[in-house]
């Protein structure tokens, strides 16, 4: 069985909510040895109290600590000495006040990569302001582009800010800095701001807007539900069907499946989109969701059912790929080699017992 790509990397995760936790999950899933420093019950915070721990905390050992304790501090710093990277998601200045800032840690371990993720970033007028995912993506311009024309933008869960703009950018930045440190022997500070990351995720739409191909009006564009051939429709049983027939060939298959003459529904005639949407909506509302899914199965119409969270693990495709294990999403992406075991949440380990495993380059 081949080792996972990050086997041998040691990462110290200062526990937090949102993006830093998801970044730790990603790095551990890919083989890094991650020690998660969680707040001890004695510090006033329940251990493993966060919702989602069965998934978000899997694959790495939790070590309860009191970051303000002198005795715990010495043990934590010894762990820093053997780490390749540290990741944290506190507000700017908190790690410095606790005595774990980049200057202190780099003095002990010059090659250490110091990964930081916040909403607004380490600098700027809002750096010290409070906020959450919705605030950060609101400032990025991305939130405004989502939703229906006559309604306020809907919260897109916390996928765009916390996870896409925060965790994924943090993990990518840390890995890039680790590659550099292997060559130079010097670590970097990675400043991952959710406003920056969310803005980057929305870069395509900024580019299209600059070319006059994207309107600021929600629900009037190709990928925001404005196009009748790229949106979701309600079905007779209360379920929903996803239609994504963007290319002409796929659009033709959609029309064929709906029994519509192509001459009656030119794809890119925007003056007819509203009427075509109503026509599509009436057709999809006449049959149940799974009936439509069966009807379009095997065609190029790009029509699929919108599954609920409870349904998704049982879909044949997801079962075949083992996309879910024990009802929770499996690690992604995948790498060639034997199928990895189902990741679990290890038991708590006392700080005095926490240690890095031996790796190939250890003396």
């Amino acid at each position: 069985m081949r080792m996972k790509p990050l086997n041998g990397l040691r990462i110290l995760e200062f526990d937090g909510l949102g993006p830093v936790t998801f970044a730790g999950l990603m790095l551990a899933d890919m083989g890094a040895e991650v020690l998660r420093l969680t707040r001890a019950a004695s510090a006033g915070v329940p251990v493993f109290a966060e919702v989602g721990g069965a998934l978000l905390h899997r694959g790495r050992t939790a070590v309860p600590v009191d970051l303000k304790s002198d005795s715990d501090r010495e043990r934590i710093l010894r762990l820093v000495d053997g780490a390749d990277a540290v990741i944290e998601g506190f507000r700017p200045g908190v790690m410095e006040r606790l005595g774990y800032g980049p200057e202190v840690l780099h003095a002990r371990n010059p090659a250490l990569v110091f990964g930081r993720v916040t909403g607004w970033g380490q600098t700027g007028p809002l750096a010290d302001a409070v906020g959450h995912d919705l605030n950060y993506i609101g400032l990025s311009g991305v939130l405004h582009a989502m939703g229906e024309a006559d309604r306020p933008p809907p919260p897109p869960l916390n996928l765009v800010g916390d996870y896409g703009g925060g965790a994924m950018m943090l993990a990518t930045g840390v890995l890039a800095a680790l590659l550099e440190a292997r060559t130079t022997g010097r670590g970097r500070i990675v400043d991952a701001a959710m406003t920056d990351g969310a803005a980057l995720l929305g870069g395509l739409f900024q580019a299209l807007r600059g070319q006059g191909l994207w309107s600021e009006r929600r629900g009037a564009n190709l990928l925001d539900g404005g196009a009748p051939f790229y949106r979701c429709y309600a079905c007779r049983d209360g379920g929903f069907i996803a239609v994504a027939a963007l290319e002409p060939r796929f659009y033709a298959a959609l029309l064929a499946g709906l029994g519509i003459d192509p001459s009656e529904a030119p794809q890119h005639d925007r003056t007819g989109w509203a009427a075509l949407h109503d026509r599509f909506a009436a057709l999809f509302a006449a049959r149940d969701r799974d009936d439509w899914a069966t009807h379009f199965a095997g065609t190029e119409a790009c029509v699929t059912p919108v599954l609920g969270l409870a349904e998704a693990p049982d879909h044949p495709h997801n079962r075949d790929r083992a996309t879910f294990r024990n009802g929770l999403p499996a690690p992604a992406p995948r790498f060639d080699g034997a199928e990895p075991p189902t990741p679990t949440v290890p038991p708590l380990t006392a700080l005095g017992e926490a240690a890095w495993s031996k790796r190939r380059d250890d003396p």
Side-chain angles (χ1 to χ4, degrees):
M1 177 177 179
R2 297 187 183 182
M3 292 184 296
K4 295 181 180 180
L6 300 187
N7 181 269
L9 282 180
R10 295 166 170 171
I11 298 174
L12 201 59
E13 173 189 344
F14 284 78
D15 194 22
L17 296 175
V20 71
T21 308
F22 198 81
L25 161 74
M26 291 288 296
L27 295 167
D29 278 353
M30 289 188 282
E33 182 180 359
V34 182
L35 287 179
R36 189 171 66 88
L37 301 182
T38 185
R39 296 184 187 183
S42 61
V45 178
V47 177
F48 280 164
E50 301 95 326
V51 173
L55 171 72
L56 296 178
H57 297 155
R58 74 184 180 196
R60 55 225 201 260
T61 300
V63 184
V65 298
D66 183 347
L67 296 178
K68 297 180 180 179
S69 162
D70 289 338
S71 60
D72 282 6
R73 172 183 166 80
E74 289 305 313
R75 294 191 178 99
I76 292 169
L77 290 177
R78 284 199 292 273
L79 290 172
V80 168
D81 293 342
D84 296 296
V86 161
I87 57 174
E88 60 97 359
F90 296 120
R91 290 169 65 184
V94 171
M95 286 286 279
E96 285 82 354
R97 290 194 294 273
L98 290 170
Y100 303 103
E103 186 174 346
V104 172
L105 300 194
H106 279 148
R108 299 180 65 102
N109 184 350
L112 184 77
V113 171
F114 198 109
R116 329 189 75 164
V117 60
T118 57
W120 308 111
Q122 298 295 315
T123 61
L126 292 176
D128 294 323
V130 297
H132 285 293
D133 183 292
L134 204 61
N135 305 118
Y136 311 138
I137 66 174
L139 203 71
S140 74
V142 175
L143 181 60
H144 184 273
M146 301 179 186
E148 300 179 17
D150 58 348
R151 295 178 181 271
L157 305 182
N158 67 330
L159 301 178
V160 179
D162 277 357
Y163 291 164
M168 297 298 185
M169 299 299 174
L170 174 64
T172 302
V174 165
L175 293 176
L178 284 168
L179 284 174
E180 182 189 44
R182 290 282 175 93
T183 302
T184 65
R186 305 294 301 181
R188 280 185 185 263
I189 301 170
V190 179
D191 176 6
M194 287 179 248
T195 48
D196 297 345
L200 179 60
L201 292 174
L204 167 65
F205 310 105
Q206 288 282 19
L208 292 173
R209 183 190 61 81
Q211 298 170 13
L213 300 176
W214 192 272
S215 167
E216 290 277 24
R217 183 172 178 269
R218 286 190 300 281
N221 300 286
L222 186 64
L223 301 176
D224 64 357
F229 47 86
Y230 195 86
R231 60 174 300 145
C232 296
Y233 291 93
C235 300
R236 182 174 58 188
D237 57 353
F240 298 92
I241 206 80
V243 177
L246 284 173
E247 289 80 2
R249 189 177 85 208
F250 304 154
Y251 181 66
L254 171 66
L255 295 183
L258 293 175
I260 297 176
D261 186 335
S263 65
E264 300 174 1
Q267 183 174 12
H268 294 292
D269 177 10
R270 297 195 179 213
T271 63
W273 275 6
L276 191 56
H277 165 264
D278 292 343
R279 189 172 181 183
F280 284 2
L283 288 169
F284 282 114
R287 294 165 68 172
D288 293 347
R289 182 198 69 179
D290 292 346
D291 187 15
W292 281 118
T294 300
H295 178 75
F296 280 104
T299 74
E300 292 187 328
C302 300
V303 175
T304 53
V306 177
L307 302 179
L309 292 174
E311 295 178 290
D314 290 327
H315 188 275
H317 181 80
N318 293 334
R319 285 204 312 268
D320 184 77
R321 286 185 56 82
T323 299
F324 295 83
R325 297 176 188 168
N326 297 329
L328 295 174
R334 303 186 185 194
F335 303 93
D336 60 322
E339 193 73 15
T342 300
T344 58
V345 179
L348 294 176
T349 297
L351 180 57
E353 301 170 358
W356 298 114
S357 65
K358 186 172 179 60
R359 60 185 178 188
R360 289 172 296 172
D361 58 350
D362 283 339

